[in-house]
Amino acid sequence: MLIDFFYTLRAAKLPVSVKEYLMLLEALQAGVVGPRSSDGWSLDDFYFLARTTLVKDEKHYDKFDRAFAAYFKGVEMVTDFQKALPEEWLRKLLERELTPEQKAAIEKMDWDTLMETLKKRLEEQKERHEGGNKWIGTGGTSPFGHGGYNPQGVRIGGPGRNRSAVKVWEQRAYRDYDDTQELGTRNIKMAMRRLRKFARQGGELELDLPDTIRSTAANAGWLDIKLVPERHNNVKVLLLMDVGGTMDDHIQRVEELFSAAKSEFKHLEFYYFHNCVYDFMWKNNQRRFSEKFDTWDIIRKYNKDYKLIFVGDATMSPYEILQSGGSVEYHNEEPGAEWLQRLTHAFPHHAWINPEPQGVWQYRQSIEIIRQLMGGRMYPLTLKGLEETMRLLSK
């Protein structure tokens, strides 16, 4: 069984060797994972042991999790009858499909009223609620909870459904973009060639040793030095990428862009943010709250000759951009708009690449706000859009 598991990990492009696989077997034989019962070890214990022995870099954790889930799907439910029923089986019981008329009748609170009402609900509510329109619960039309419908509320626990929450009350985990992702479609490949062209502009020269030897020999031994453009040049790029939430729909295309940028730019610095930039960013999504990078420090660290590129769908509540405390994850002291203006002022060469189809931009209020803050420098993640972005940044 574990041989097939090993090949599943290899098929997922995880750098797992036979030596590491044998180490896993030795650990099992040595009883590192204690048996839960006469049936053997638990799946959770095996997961942590396998990840520890087989995965040597935490950037591969997400690939490992997906491969592990794909291989062992359903195993735990079959072997452990004490497990609770999966949430997916019960979700439909908690969802209410409302008619357009019912949705239009639901009250949409402004920011201050929403926060004040939530405070009162937390003080008053003493029990779980389901399907209502007032209390914190599930499957209803209340602005507080999850699994129901409200045009503008606070999601508390559970998965997002309508993407209309102005604040999210839960600990959310994002994964880093994979910088080894191979380029996919032909159009994306063509677009990445524009990045190569951009990267070579103003490049220095380096010695072409084979051609120098050949030319010197042909020149009767007189030294004839040949130079070629350096593969990477001194173009500096600061890449800020939105991650999590609605950006999950665009992971593959952003990874393609990220992979190409890392291969083409000698001086590339990158950071992550969620929805809008605030007072801190991060480089590792698993440690985003323990290893923060102050945005002011980032502005001071890099010179204004860096090309600043934002990558994000700019799809969020307008409060997240314009309101203090508007972040869905924590209380930001200053609006996101303030930080965007500081960044674009510090780096005159800047642009925003949006993976969301350009046809829907006009229907998203937040996209229009971001586009105005960027001085109109927002381009779609398409061949033409990347060409226009590179042309703008190279001026």
Side-chain angles (χ1 to χ4, degrees):
M1 178 176 117
L2 293 183
I3 283 289
D4 292 336
F5 174 56
F6 172 73
Y7 284 119
T8 299
L9 298 179
R10 294 293 294 268
K13 296 185 178 180
L14 279 159
V16 181
S17 68
V18 174
K19 180 179 179 180
E20 292 159 347
Y21 172 70
L22 293 176
M23 185 186 304
L24 173 62
L25 296 182
E26 291 175 1
L28 290 173
Q29 292 174 351
V32 173
V33 175
R36 176 183 57 184
S37 65
S38 58
D39 296 331
W41 33 260
S42 73
L43 196 58
D44 287 342
D45 290 342
F46 176 73
Y47 163 81
F48 287 110
L49 176 62
R51 194 180 73 173
T52 300
T53 56
L54 300 177
V55 183
K56 301 304 182 185
D57 193 322
E58 61 185 16
K59 73 179 182 181
H60 298 304
Y61 279 177
D62 185 71
K63 284 184 179 180
F64 177 81
D65 289 348
R66 285 183 286 173
F68 189 94
Y71 184 77
F72 287 100
K73 184 178 182 181
V75 171
E76 188 74 359
M77 284 299 299
V78 171
T79 58
D80 189 354
F81 295 101
Q82 295 181 352
K83 285 285 184 180
L85 290 176
E87 183 181 346
E88 293 82 0
W89 296 6
L90 302 176
R91 184 176 299 154
K92 290 302 179 182
L93 297 177
L94 303 179
E95 292 182 353
R96 292 178 57 193
E97 297 299 333
L98 305 180
T99 65
E101 292 77 14
Q102 289 173 318
K103 291 181 179 180
I106 297 174
E107 179 182 4
K108 181 177 180 180
M109 301 180 184
D110 60 35
W111 176 264
D112 294 333
T113 304
L114 188 67
M115 293 297 107
E116 185 62 29
T117 304
L118 174 59
K119 182 180 179 181
K120 292 180 180 179
R121 294 291 183 272
L122 291 172
E123 294 173 350
E124 298 170 357
Q125 184 166 335
K126 305 300 181 183
E127 60 185 8
R128 181 182 182 277
H129 286 269
E130 176 182 324
N133 62 2
K134 176 181 177 180
W135 300 105
I136 302 170
T138 58
T141 59
S142 168
F144 314 111
H146 72 89
Y149 173 80
N150 192 282
Q152 187 166 280
V154 177
R155 176 158 66 85
I156 301 177
R161 184 184 176 197
N162 299 295
R163 293 181 174 176
S164 60
V166 298
K167 210 167 188 67
V168 177
W169 196 345
E170 67 171 348
Q171 179 72 24
R172 296 197 285 177
Y174 310 135
R175 74 177 183 87
D176 295 344
Y177 289 127
D178 187 353
D179 56 13
T180 64
Q181 176 70 31
E182 292 295 328
L183 300 182
T185 65
R186 182 177 182 275
N187 283 342
I188 293 294
K189 288 183 178 180
M190 293 295 293
M192 296 307 102
R193 290 175 188 172
R194 307 298 177 184
L195 289 179
R196 288 200 292 269
K197 179 181 178 181
F198 170 55
R200 292 180 184 278
Q201 291 182 1
E204 299 175 354
L205 297 179
E206 61 182 14
L207 178 66
D208 184 348
L209 185 58
D211 196 20
T212 297
I213 295 174
R214 188 182 307 107
S215 300
T216 300
N219 199 28
W222 288 95
L223 183 62
D224 187 5
I225 297 177
K226 298 294 183 181
L227 301 174
V228 293
E230 190 180 11
R231 175 178 171 77
H232 299 282
N233 72 356
N234 290 323
V235 171
K236 302 174 183 178
V237 176
L238 179 58
L239 187 64
L240 306 183
M241 296 177 289
D242 184 6
V243 65
T246 55
M247 283 297 292
D248 288 348
D249 297 340
H250 311 294
I251 286 177
Q252 181 179 353
R253 297 170 67 209
V254 175
E255 286 182 339
E256 291 169 354
L257 178 66
F258 187 29
S259 297
K262 288 203 73 173
S263 67
E264 292 304 326
F265 297 116
K266 182 177 181 180
H267 303 285
L268 173 69
E269 299 291 340
F270 71 91
Y271 296 89
Y272 293 111
F273 65 93
H274 179 60
N275 284 356
C276 192
V277 175
Y278 299 111
D279 53 309
F280 71 93
M281 290 179 271
W282 58 93
K283 279 183 170 288
N284 186 306
N285 281 294
Q286 293 187 339
R287 298 195 296 267
R288 62 194 174 105
F289 290 112
S290 61
E291 294 184 3
K292 301 176 183 179
F293 293 86
D294 190 283
T295 304
W296 270 124
D297 290 342
I298 293 173
I299 291 174
R300 298 186 187 103
K301 180 177 181 180
Y302 304 108
N303 298 326
K304 64 180 182 180
D305 56 344
Y306 270 82
K307 317 289 185 179
L308 175 63
I309 302 177
F310 294 90
V311 179
D313 60 6
T315 299
M316 67 197 87
S317 166
Y319 290 129
E320 296 182 61
I321 310 170
L322 304 173
Q323 179 78 39
S324 297
S327 168
V328 297
E329 297 192 303
Y330 77 110
H331 183 82
N332 52 299
E333 296 294 337
E334 296 180 286
E338 293 288 340
W339 290 106
L340 284 173
Q341 290 176 337
R342 288 167 182 158
L343 284 162
T344 55
H345 177 74
F347 304 100
H349 299 282
H350 57 266
W352 187 294
I353 298 176
N354 194 332
E356 196 73 8
Q358 195 169 6
V360 306
W361 289 7
Q362 59 182 317
Y363 305 108
R364 307 275 173 82
Q365 186 179 1
S366 59
I367 293 181
E368 180 58 26
I369 295 173
I370 293 290
R371 198 182 69 81
Q372 291 181 12
L373 289 171
M374 295 295 296
R377 299 181 177 192
M378 180 179 287
Y379 302 95
L381 184 49
T382 62
L383 175 60
K384 182 179 178 181
L386 285 173
E387 287 177 345
E388 292 175 347
T389 303
M390 296 304 106
R391 189 177 301 115
L392 171 69
L393 294 177
S394 61
K395 290 181 180 179

